[in-house]
Amino acid sequence: MTVRGRGQSKLTPNGISFRHFLISRSIPWKDISGVEMRHHTARSNEWWDLRIVRTSGRTLVVPGAFASRRSDPKFEAKFVIVHQYWMEYK
């Protein structure tokens, strides 16, 4: 089982870099078609995560961007920052 809130993401003018456990990857902004928050529900639990949508249609979870409450100011701030970078450098 992995911990959803773990990992790091680094935003640069060239793209976004992910680092999660042993996996590391970098996606250029030009290969990203959107940034979105997703809501998930399982049994009596719910959570939100931040995802980037690639131009191929595939989505990737942004490591370190996770919330277990409906309105979490830190999570919402992460969404705003990633979205601003994407809009500025795409």
Side-chain angles (χ1 to χ4, degrees):
M1 183 170 149
T2 61
V3 179
R4 290 186 222 47
R6 294 276 173 108
Q8 296 176 337
S9 301
K10 183 178 179 181
L11 305 173
T12 68
N14 298 325
I16 183 169
S17 298
F18 302 127
R19 194 163 178 205
H20 191 260
F21 294 111
L22 301 174
I23 300 168
S24 180
R25 73 177 351 162
S26 183
I27 311 291
W29 293 118
K30 66 180 178 70
D31 293 344
I32 298 173
S33 63
V35 179
E36 58 187 33
M37 285 189 266
R38 289 241 180 122
H39 176 248
H40 307 275
T41 305
R43 296 188 187 194
S44 62
N45 195 9
E46 62 181 354
W47 68 93
W48 288 259
D49 62 22
L50 183 58
R51 294 176 180 250
I52 60 166
V53 181
R54 297 170 67 178
T55 53
S56 65
R58 296 183 63 191
T59 63
L60 293 170
V61 176
V62 176
F66 167 82
S68 56
R69 312 191 304 247
R70 183 168 196 89
S71 37
D72 183 340
K74 289 182 181 179
F75 175 71
E76 291 172 2
K78 290 177 184 181
F79 170 76
V80 169
I81 291 168
V82 173
H83 192 268
Q84 286 175 342
Y85 262 80
W86 173 64
M87 292 298 291
E88 186 173 341
Y89 297 111
K90 66 180 180 171

